[in-house]
Amino acid sequence: MKNNKRQQTSIAAIKKAFANNLYHNIGKPALTATPQDFYTALAYTVRSMLLDKYIHSMATYLKKETRIVAYFSAEFLEGPHLINNMLNLGVIDQVRKAMEELGLDMNKLIELESEPGLGNGGLGRLAACYLDSLATLKIPAIGYGLRYEHGMFEQRLEDGWQVEYSDNWLHYGNPWELYRPERTYRVQFGGRTESYNDPEHGYRVRWNPGMVVKGIAYDTPILGYRVNNCVLLRLWQAEAAQDFNFSDFNRGDYYGAVENKVVAENITKVLYPNDTSQAGKRLRLEQQYFLVSCSLQDLIHMHTVMKGLDLTTHHRSVAAQLNDTHPSLAIPELMRLLVDEHLLPWNKAWEITQKTFSYTNHTLLPEALEKWPIPLFQSLLPRHYEIICEINRRFLDEVRLRFPLDDQRIANMSLIDETGERYVRMAGLACVGSSHINGVARLHTQLLKDQVLKDYHCLWPDKIINITNGVTPRRWMGVSNPKLTALITEAVGEGWLNDMEKLSDLEPFADDASFREKWYQIKRGHKEQVAGLILEHFGFVVDPDSMFDVQVKRIHEYKRQHLNILHLISLYWRLKNEPDFDMVPRTFLFGGKAAPGYFMAKLIIKLITSVAEVLNTDPVTRDKLKVIFRPNYNVKIGQIVYPMADLSEQISLAGKEASGTGNMKFAMNGALTIGTLDGANIEIREEVGEENFFLFGLTAPEVLELRQSGYHPLDIYHNNDQLRAVIDLIEFGHFSHGDRNLFKPLLDSLKYNDEYMLFADFQSYIDCQQEVDRAYADKEEWLKKSIRTVARMAEFSSDRSIREYCGKIWQIKPVEVLSG
Ligand code: 26W
């Protein structure tokens, strides 16, 4: 087998396999193959190198005594697989050579992979980083999600505005997935429930659905770094249940049957592009239920049929993690499966359920907390509504026992919101049905305990724990920054990509001038490359020696991209009006998508592009200031952006960003951070040292205090000349061809409300940016800070996060997979 493996990865073997794949799987000779065909042939070639590991992993994980993590998530933002798999296999050099000998450029083929963008942003990408770490740490795991036919929309700019186009990532097929039609489950919707008396089990309920849909599995093996372990990403696709009996409502009506097929298959048509406000759409609820029902039936099948175990021990086979509340219907669904379908007593079923699930909360924003209107919920999931009511009844009894006569508390904690229109509260459901609840950064967890989930914390003081997010250094350093990776390896030796503590050996190199020069040249190389791309796509020159100041993330008022803009307009204004003013030249780069229905976010994009239009062509300022909005920010673009950044903008209002993970990716690539004490910024600053972090702004307690004592943004506007100059410049139409209405909604919301307190943080931000300017001017000191930052990033590897999940929640240990 060993020999066989070496053979498989030799240059000659790769060439042979590649030619074979092209001919036998794609059906073309090299002469007529398109670049896309070459990509696909290479993908198959690399896939076959990992299939052996995958098959052995699955066989190992299905052993009776092994507990497995089931990561339930509506989103998995994987990004391209080819390069990541080659890195994890350790075959990049051989593949490059083999392609070269065939006259092909490996890098060009890698670029042809279309982005599997089945996520909105942070939460979806976190799920992908966690799968990478689970595999690398040899933890048996399955990620359960949805195979959206259309992932995150493609963003284009038209006249400086965001316009959405549908994503078609499956257009050329997907060589990484394995179609598993034998893994098909039926999922029911609508209809009615009826009770009956079971002679053996007493009172029972039967659900007669109005519609049945099939869920079919598509499996993608996710390989760990330099190990034999793979985890499985299993995504469900909806299909009409033709072969199930729905003649009841079909009645031989062909048109109706086709219509039904369309309705069924709509369920996994498209990813909802909202990452904050929840729309309350029926289809979204259908997606959520479809995901959890397929996944739980699958887990039960594995436990009972494949492992041959008794259902009452199900929780010993599975630790299920709910990635936010999107899959929280898993709780009533498992109850339904155990009680209705498998006839377990309620108490036993509840014990199994609570021991199975844990819940990760990713947001404090009230508008993002999911709640479903009862009429909608009840019509789609009548049986689950009853189960939730029963869970709630028992739960509130427990609360009453602990806090007698506290009606307000009961109303707050009830799983049914009855303050106005009635809703099911999904966060409450997730809390009650889980053994652990975790926040994603220390401050975020504290705020959960103090505010959003304070009543739950009061009732169960040990249930809420913190596990700070992390990101995988394999993708975010190894794949995206191979030169820096090689330089670090030269300095500290091999093995740090899966043992980031080793990076501390990098520290002394900060004082080595020749090492600093190499470090600098790598950053400079990335900047030059991006400058080239900008010239090619935007048609203007940016100076690779200027400071690259970057903010990439979803566009949202709380993330305050417009605060960044206010700063850059202030620089523009000073360059124009203060003869003595000087600054280090800067290139501002923005990227990020706005939710299609989020007008303010779209207006922020329009503001950025409008300001760019004026600044980039102004003869007085264009040598000092450049502004670029890179449309369609995604994982692929991220891999280009993080390595070239000098400055990472993490400027959310304190208390709003749960964690942030872009902050970690920038820092791992040697960018310095300007940021508030929000989310994981706080912990990053502690790790890298305050001398290497540019801090500004109110703290979370100060934000609270200011709000309570009365916040008056207009007063700040009147009292701050620079702020007023900047706002007035926008207001008087300087960036909108004289149009004073264009940005009015944005300016009014700042002057008269300023929910996210930009004005309060403005001066502090400007002052801090001045410090950044001075620091950047001292090249050697800046480089030292950059090197030390990277050396101290071990904490933010997703390996650390996953180890914590294993120890604190899942109680799962690594499992060796023997090859061959
Ligand atoms: C209901 C619509 C909806 C959809 C997605 C609401 C909320 C979401 C996500 C929770 C949004 C999200 O991605 N949150 C981000 O999660 C990251 C991973 O934990 C954190 O780093 C970010 O701070 C948080 O905003």
Side-chain angles (χ1 to χ4, degrees), residues 691-705:
E691 69 285 6
N692 301 314
F693 188 106
F694 299 96
L695 179 68
F696 77 97
L698 297 168
T699 63
E702 286 167 355
V703 167
L704 212 67
E705 214 176 292

Side-chain angles (χ1 to χ4, degrees), residues 200-359:
E200 206 182 315
H201 301 94
Y203 175 86
R204 292 283 142 176
V205 176
R206 192 183 294 127
W207 176 16
N208 301 317
M211 174 172 83
V212 179
V213 172
K214 277 193 303 189
I216 304 186
Y218 284 77
D219 289 356
T220 305
I222 305 290
L223 172 66
Y225 177 75
R226 308 289 155 95
V227 291
N228 289 322
N229 298 58
C230 279
V231 300
L232 168 58
L233 174 57
R234 178 163 281 173
L235 302 180
W236 302 104
Q237 173 166 292
E239 270 187 30
Q242 232 97 3
D243 47 341
F244 294 113
N245 177 18
F246 60 83
S247 58
D248 283 2
F249 53 96
N250 219 359
R251 302 213 185 282
D253 170 1
Y254 172 74
Y255 188 82
V258 173
E259 201 174 57
N260 213 280
K261 190 170 157 68
V262 172
V263 169
E265 293 176 2
N266 261 343
I267 292 178
T268 49
K269 247 316 150 213
V270 57
L271 166 76
Y272 273 90
N274 295 343
D275 70 334
T276 42
S277 64
Q278 82 120 16
K281 289 275 192 297
R282 187 182 187 92
L283 184 59
R284 168 84 176 174
L285 188 58
E286 286 174 358
Q287 289 184 338
Q288 296 189 349
Y289 178 60
F290 175 78
L291 162 62
V292 302
S293 183
C294 293
S295 310
L296 286 169
Q297 291 182 64
D298 195 43
L299 287 168
I300 288 176
H301 175 82
M302 274 187 249
H303 181 78
T304 55
V305 179
M306 298 173 75
K307 292 187 177 182
L309 295 170
D310 189 86
L311 246 193
T312 54
T313 62
H314 185 258
H315 53 285
R316 284 189 221 140
S317 275
V318 184
Q321 193 68 33
L322 303 175
N323 201 20
D324 216 282
T325 54
H326 317 152
S328 58
L329 283 169
I331 290 161
E333 173 66 356
L334 183 56
M335 286 301 287
R336 186 189 70 81
L337 290 167
L338 296 176
V339 174
D340 292 0
E341 309 254 325
H342 296 274
L343 304 173
L344 260 59
W346 179 280
N347 286 333
K348 185 74 208 165
W350 186 240
E351 183 198 332
I352 295 170
T353 300
Q354 276 192 321
K355 285 183 174 163
T356 300
F357 292 109
S358 288
Y359 154 54

Side-chain angles (χ1 to χ4, degrees), residues 75 121-123 126 274-278 284 324 326 362-363 368 370 440 469 558-559 657-661:
E75 308 185 6
L123 161 138
L126 188 76
N274 295 343
D275 70 334
T276 42
S277 64
Q278 82 120 16
R284 168 84 176 174
D324 216 282
H326 317 152
H362 294 266
T363 181
E370 290 192 299
V440 290
N469 283 166
Y558 86 77
K559 296 177 189 278
E657 189 69 89
S659 160
T661 43

Side-chain angles (χ1 to χ4, degrees), residues 389-407:
C389 288
E390 182 60 16
I391 294 172
N392 196 34
R393 193 181 65 76
R394 290 164 185 249
F395 166 61
L396 293 181
D397 279 347
E398 187 186 330
V399 180
R400 265 186 219 104
L401 216 58
R402 267 289 304 281
F403 305 97
L405 303 176
D406 194 343
D407 285 346

